[in-house]
Amino acid sequence: FRYIPNGCSKDKHTCQVSFVNHFLTVMYLVSLKDSHCFLCFPGGRGEDSSVIITLPECSAFSDIPEEALTKVFTYLTLIPRQPGVKFIIILDRRLDTWASIKTALARIAASFPGNLHLVLVLRPTSFFHRTVTDIGFRFSQEDFMLKMPVVMLSSVTDLLRYIDENQLTSEFGGTLDYCHSDWIVLRTAIESFAVTVKDIAQMLQGFGTELAETELPEEAKAIEYLLELHTDKYRKLKDAIRSVSKEGRHLLSSLETTAKEDDSQWDVKLDWETVQRLLAQLRDMESAFDGFFEKHHLKLHQYLQLLRYEQSFQEVRLSSTSQERELCISANSLAETEQALKRLNNLESNAQEVTARAQIIILHGHQLSAGHHYAMALIMQRCNELRHYCDTLTVFRDTHLYTNMQAQTWCDDAAYLLANQLVDKFQSKEGAQAALRDIEKLLEGAPSIHVMRELIETERIYVEELLSVLLGYRAEMDNPALSGVLPPILRSKRDILFGNMPEIYNFHIFLQDLEGCLEAPEAVGACFLERKESFQMYESYCQNKLRSEALWRQFSDCGFFLECQKKLEHKLGLDSYLLKPIQRLTKYQLLLKELIKYSTDCEGTSELQGALAAMLDLLKSVNDSMHQIAITGYEGDICELGRVLMQGSFSVWISHKKGPTRMKEMARFKPMQRHLFLYERALLLCKRREEHGDGCDKTPSYSFKHCLKMTAVGITENVKGDVKKFEIWYSGREEVYVVQAPTVEVKMAWLNELRRILTNQQKMLRGLRAT
């Protein structure tokens, strides 16, 4: 909090301070009771509204220090507070000497800081001293006139030629009412009020600085103490302001009364304006301070609310996590199903209690947000997380209850089957075989829900981890509180760092589809196949991964990441969580294989196999595309070649029909090692370069060598002497590439894909010709 009154610049403020210093000097001089006052400020006006200052007869005038006299004159020139105001000095020396007059004029010329319009000197009345004064002034007149206009007057009557009698006090034959002691009391009251207002302003500014620099503690009791302490100081300052305002209003009322009695006194009107201006400044300061303290108090109170809300949130979150762990433990205790079910009953009661507490905290969060809490975004994020925890806990509870129920039913069926196997039945070969068939049938019907539980639980954890990264890292890049530890370039490259993770997270409402398959595991395959195309977004994420890793390595030590990791309470860094989508993609095919193992010859088996094939194709496509982005030296647009279908390393011999190239290739007995990329429209031959980087960060690169358009490609499936070789010829065998695969299986896979592309080309060509 810093307050400077409206219309008051820093220079004027400084001027007011020096004004007070002058006033203290004046009060010391003009309040000497044992001596005549040497200077008066009666309030009269002369020509051009010049302000009159009188210097009465004073034998001690020459003893006043020069510095003190300068301060007195300066103070008096500041009282009118009007730009360009002029002054008239009446120097009464009727009972004095020329030497005294000369000294007084010299001191006035040296010390008076204002615009001195005229100096009127009432010269000595005695004949001798008047004569000496006339002679002395005649010889010194030019010296004085160069500095200020001086007029020697013989009598008071001469004074009336320059100033009206109603602007002169009685000692000069005028009618202006003036009491010097009353003037001192008035000036003391006004200046004391000004000093008090200044002190109040400094106290308010000091308290405002204290509030602004207060570090917020992290304990509720400490914040409550701060609120109480600050409120107490605020009330004391308000009492001081009210007291000063009361003093100012009383002074203003006195000036108004004086002005009504004699409205011709212009100085009273100026004093009234001064006090009125000080009161207005005091009101402005009070209003500004009230606004500042109200905002500070509100923010501190809201901080206390946020701290308590966060504590409640963390308690519920820990309770929810603990419940999930208990549910997982109970679900794994299938050998003791009855005991597990009893524990589930207790856990269900606890889960309901946790959910109820979470709902109360969510309601409180909405109330805080409705009150325009400054941390509204964080509070709503916490509300959403609590809803998610409640939903997760509910599904966990239902899932595990159903799982254990199914397990118990299966165990009961097994126990019943074994208990009803007659011993006599085992005496014959046929009876024993029949019993074994019954047991095998029971085993085949073992609930695939164990696998389903793992699929759903790991999917839920995966989605939670995605959300934590998006909220705890990506969204925090827009948090002003962390701008100091976040390099601006990193904020502009968030799409590189996180890739299309937001798109992946939005896609994983897929979790709800899986949860719907809990009671019907045979529907999982269809669930994957329906979203087969959407899973392609993982390919984009994987293709961006190299750029993301490079950016992470550049900024991994950034304070922003450490701060976010601390808030999230993650044991691992962001880079570990950025790997989660790739790891999840590989996990799907393993879980699908497990489901197929338990679902042989059951309904939905073909869909499960189709889903597994789709996931394996996606993994292969992702792997191929990861290699593709490492190709260097290809000058065209690689996207025009279509989707990459296959890639791999081969031994290659090249021969040409004619020319020097043919002779060169004939001399080559050792094959070249080439990495082949098969696209829908072309085949690229590249040379694999050494991997760059250290350890697990090593990445290969492929230097482009040849491009064969598929429209000009032909193949020979078998080459004499090696079952792993086949030929790719180009432009009517102008160029022939003998390719040796690492295995026969790899060779057949490539030939199948090449045949498919060439066959499709022929069909398209025939269609065009028919058209």
Side-chain angles (χ1 to χ4, degrees):
F1 175 83
R2 184 171 184 269
Y3 179 78
I4 294 179
N6 292 333
C8 179
S9 66
K10 185 177 179 182
D11 292 338
K12 290 184 179 178
H13 193 65
T14 305
C15 183
Q16 287 183 351
V17 176
S18 61
F19 181 68
V20 172
N21 293 334
H22 295 318
F23 165 71
L24 296 176
T25 304
V26 172
M27 291 300 104
Y28 167 74
L29 293 171
V30 299
S31 60
L32 293 175
K33 300 184 183 297
D34 298 332
S35 64
H36 298 292
C37 66
F38 75 93
L39 185 149
C40 294
F41 195 81
R45 294 271 179 148
E47 187 181 42
D48 296 333
S49 297
S50 300
V51 178
I52 298 173
I53 298 174
T54 62
L55 273 69
E57 197 72 43
C58 179
S59 58
F61 182 79
S62 59
D63 298 332
I64 298 172
E66 194 67 32
E67 182 182 359
L69 183 63
T70 302
K71 288 184 177 180
V72 170
F73 280 141
T74 301
Y75 173 75
L76 294 178
T77 57
L78 289 173
I79 291 177
R81 299 187 184 180
Q82 293 175 329
V85 66
K86 299 177 181 179
F87 293 89
I88 295 176
I89 292 181
I90 300 176
L91 182 62
D92 186 2
R93 290 297 180 265
R94 285 175 288 182
L95 302 178
D96 218 328
T97 64
W98 163 244
S100 175
I101 295 173
K102 184 177 180 182
T103 301
L105 289 174
R107 299 195 70 187
I108 291 170
S111 303
F112 196 81
N115 183 3
L116 194 53
H117 177 62
L118 190 62
V119 178
L120 301 175
V121 182
L122 286 173
R123 63 185 180 175
T125 54
S126 68
F127 176 77
F128 176 75
H129 289 299
R130 182 191 307 169
T131 303
V132 173
T133 298
D134 290 343
I135 296 171
F137 184 68
R138 187 177 299 115
F139 286 103
S140 305
Q141 184 175 7
E142 291 184 2
D143 295 337
F144 289 117
M145 294 302 288
L146 289 175
K147 299 177 182 178
M148 55 187 180
V150 180
V151 177
M152 285 289 179
L153 302 177
S154 299
S155 64
V156 171
T157 305
D158 294 340
L159 186 62
L160 295 175
R161 293 205 303 269
Y162 294 90
I163 302 172
D164 293 335
E165 62 177 350
N166 61 352
Q167 299 296 322
L168 293 171
T169 54
S170 57
E171 66 264 32
F172 298 121
T175 60
L176 182 65
D177 186 21
Y178 173 73
C179 176
H180 190 62
S181 60
D182 289 347
W183 181 83
I184 288 181
V185 170
L186 177 63
R187 296 313 306 173
T188 301
I190 292 174
E191 304 306 339
S192 295
F193 179 62
V195 170
T196 306
V197 171
K198 174 179 171 288
D199 291 341
I200 289 289
Q202 290 177 340
M203 285 191 292
L204 293 180
Q205 184 168 339
F207 184 50
T209 302
E210 178 187 342
L211 296 183
E213 294 178 353
T214 299
E215 293 187 4
L216 296 180
E218 295 183 0
E219 296 182 359
K221 289 185 178 179
I223 298 173
E224 290 172 355
Y225 171 75
L226 269 183
L227 277 169
E228 184 178 347
L229 179 66
H230 290 171
T231 302
D232 183 59
K233 288 185 177 181
Y234 169 75
R235 288 171 179 166
K236 288 179 180 177
L237 281 171
K238 287 288 289 186
D239 290 341
I241 293 173
R242 292 189 190 99
S243 176
V244 175
S245 297
K246 183 178 180 181
E247 177 188 343
R249 288 193 296 271
H250 178 73
L251 182 58
L252 195 66
S253 177
S254 300
L255 289 170
E256 288 174 347
T257 302
T258 304
K260 288 178 181 177
E261 293 174 355
D262 186 1
D263 59 1
S264 63
Q265 293 192 21
W266 63 271
D267 58 329
V268 175
K269 295 178 182 178
L270 288 178
D271 290 339
W272 183 89
E273 290 175 359
T274 298
V275 175
Q276 182 77 345
R277 183 170 59 253
L278 288 170
L279 277 172
Q281 291 177 2
L282 192 61
R283 284 193 298 270
D284 290 345
M285 283 190 292
E286 183 179 15
S287 176
F289 177 67
D290 285 343
F292 172 80
F293 184 78
E294 182 180 353
K295 290 180 181 178
H296 170 79
H297 188 270
L298 175 63
K299 194 159 188 177
L300 200 58
H301 183 65
Q302 288 185 342
Y303 178 73
L304 178 60
Q305 291 175 326
L306 180 63
L307 191 63
R308 288 172 174 166
Y309 184 83
E310 186 69 17
Q311 289 172 346
S312 300
F313 166 80
Q314 293 297 340
E315 289 172 3
V316 172
R317 185 177 70 86
L318 290 174
S319 298
S320 175
T321 305
S322 175
Q323 291 289 311
E324 290 178 13
R325 283 199 298 265
E326 288 293 324
L327 285 166
C328 289
I329 293 170
S330 68
N332 289 330
S333 305
L334 293 176
E336 303 173 358
T337 309
E338 292 182 1
Q339 183 181 355
L341 287 173
K342 288 179 181 178
R343 293 181 63 188
L344 270 176
N345 291 331
N346 295 331
L347 289 171
E348 182 176 4
S349 176
N350 294 337
Q352 289 175 351
E353 181 183 344
V354 171
T355 303
R357 286 173 57 197
Q359 293 297 336
I360 293 173
I361 296 173
I362 290 171
L363 177 61
H364 182 47
H366 283 287
Q367 291 172 345
L368 292 178
S369 297
H372 304 289
H373 197 286
Y374 73 89
M376 185 189 301
L378 176 61
I379 291 171
M380 293 312 298
Q381 175 185 326
R382 292 299 192 231
C383 289
N384 292 333
E385 289 181 38
L386 283 175
R387 288 195 194 92
H388 179 70
Y389 286 133
C390 289
D391 294 342
T392 300
L393 195 58
T394 301
V395 174
F396 252 73
R397 184 188 62 203
D398 295 344
T399 300
H400 290 288
L401 182 61
Y402 179 77
T403 300
N404 286 352
M405 291 288 286
Q406 270 211 340
Q408 185 178 24
T409 301
W410 183 79
C411 289
D412 289 344
D413 290 343
Y416 179 79
L417 174 66
L418 294 175
N420 284 277
Q421 293 289 343
L422 299 177
V423 177
D424 294 342
K425 190 177 181 181
F426 303 149
Q427 302 303 316
S428 67
K429 180 179 179 182
E430 293 78 9
Q433 288 176 343
L436 285 173
R437 283 196 297 271
D438 290 340
I439 293 173
E440 287 174 356
K441 185 176 181 181
L442 178 69
L443 291 174
E444 287 175 0
S448 57
I449 197 77
H450 305 335
V451 181
M452 274 303 301
R453 186 203 67 187
E454 183 181 0
L455 175 60
I456 293 173
E457 287 180 4
T458 54
E459 181 74 9
R460 185 179 295 112
I461 293 170
Y462 169 58
V463 172
E464 288 176 359
E465 288 172 338
L466 290 181
L467 180 62
S468 70
V469 170
L470 293 175
L471 293 179
Y473 285 99
R474 196 178 192 277
E476 285 294 286
M477 287 185 169
D478 295 320
N479 185 351
L482 295 177
S483 60
V485 293
L486 177 66
I489 190 173
L490 191 57
R491 182 187 291 109
S492 65
K493 292 186 176 181
R494 72 176 76 185
D495 289 336
I496 295 176
L497 183 63
F498 298 97
N500 63 335
M501 185 180 283
E503 183 186 8
I504 292 175
Y505 173 75
N506 292 330
F507 160 70
H508 275 275
I509 51 171
F510 178 60
L511 171 62
Q512 298 174 7
D513 297 342
L514 294 179
E515 289 170 345
C517 298
L518 180 62
E519 299 182 15
E522 66 276 3
V524 171
C527 184
F528 271 88
L529 290 174
E530 286 172 5
R531 297 187 176 274
K532 177 181 176 182
E533 298 301 324
S534 299
F535 273 103
Q536 295 297 325
M537 66 180 65
Y538 275 90
E539 189 169 339
S540 298
Y541 185 85
C542 294
Q543 288 175 347
N544 178 70
K545 195 65 181 69
L546 290 177
R547 299 172 67 204
S548 174
E549 288 174 350
L551 190 62
W552 166 256
R553 285 193 294 269
Q554 184 180 355
F555 293 101
S556 58
D557 294 333
C558 173
F560 170 79
F561 293 125
L562 299 177
E563 187 68 26
C564 291
Q565 183 178 346
K566 181 180 177 182
K567 283 186 178 180
L568 291 169
E569 299 180 359
H570 282 176
K571 294 181 180 179
L572 300 175
L574 173 61
D575 55 330
S576 298
Y577 287 88
L578 293 176
L579 279 173
K580 295 293 181 179
I582 300 174
Q583 294 169 343
R584 187 59 184 167
L585 199 58
T586 59
K587 183 72 173 178
Y588 284 133
Q589 54 97 11
L590 297 175
L591 291 170
L592 287 170
K593 285 178 180 177
E594 285 294 307
L595 281 172
I596 290 172
K597 185 170 72 174
Y598 285 110
S599 306
T600 307
D601 299 328
C602 294
E603 182 183 354
T605 302
S606 61
E607 285 82 0
L608 281 172
Q609 291 171 342
L612 176 61
M615 289 297 104
L616 291 173
D617 286 344
L618 178 59
L619 283 172
K620 178 181 175 301
S621 178
V622 166
N623 184 55
D624 292 344
S625 63
M626 292 289 286
H627 284 275
Q628 170 195 279
I629 60 177
I631 296 175
T632 61
Y634 183 78
E635 296 182 354
D637 184 358
I638 205 164
C639 294
E640 294 179 354
L641 305 182
R643 192 164 65 93
V644 60
L645 303 175
M646 303 188 79
Q647 55 83 27
S649 294
F650 298 87
S651 296
V652 179
W653 292 263
I654 305 176
S655 63
H656 295 75
K657 270 191 174 181
K658 53 187 175 181
T661 308
R662 174 174 172 78
M663 296 302 297
K664 180 180 178 182
E665 297 299 339
M666 286 178 65
R668 182 189 295 274
F669 295 99
K670 187 177 180 180
M672 296 178 292
Q673 298 303 312
R674 291 289 181 261
H675 202 88
L676 274 57
F677 291 87
L678 179 61
Y679 293 84
E680 292 172 323
R681 301 185 187 90
L683 177 67
L684 296 190
L685 281 75
C686 302
K687 182 176 182 179
R688 183 185 177 109
R689 298 296 183 185
E690 290 187 6
E691 297 179 344
H692 301 283
D694 298 320
C696 60
D697 293 331
K698 284 187 176 181
T699 55
S701 65
Y702 303 99
S703 178
F704 168 75
K705 293 298 181 182
H706 301 284
C707 176
L708 309 180
K709 300 293 184 182
M710 291 306 296
T711 53
V713 164
I715 59 174
T716 302
E717 296 188 6
N718 296 304
V719 175
K720 186 183 294 186
D722 194 337
V723 294
K724 294 184 291 185
K725 289 183 179 179
F726 63 97
E727 281 186 349
I728 299 174
W729 38 270
Y730 193 61
S731 298
R733 301 189 69 86
E734 182 71 26
E735 300 174 13
V736 178
Y737 299 82
V738 177
V739 180
Q740 183 183 49
T743 65
V744 175
E745 290 75 19
V746 172
K747 168 188 168 181
M748 296 310 298
W750 275 74
L751 286 175
N752 289 337
E753 195 63 38
L754 286 166
R755 272 198 303 267
R756 186 187 64 79
I757 295 173
L758 296 176
T759 301
N760 289 339
Q761 285 182 173
Q762 290 177 353
K763 289 179 181 178
M764 289 178 62
L765 186 59
R766 281 197 296 267
L768 289 172
R769 287 175 179 172
T771 303

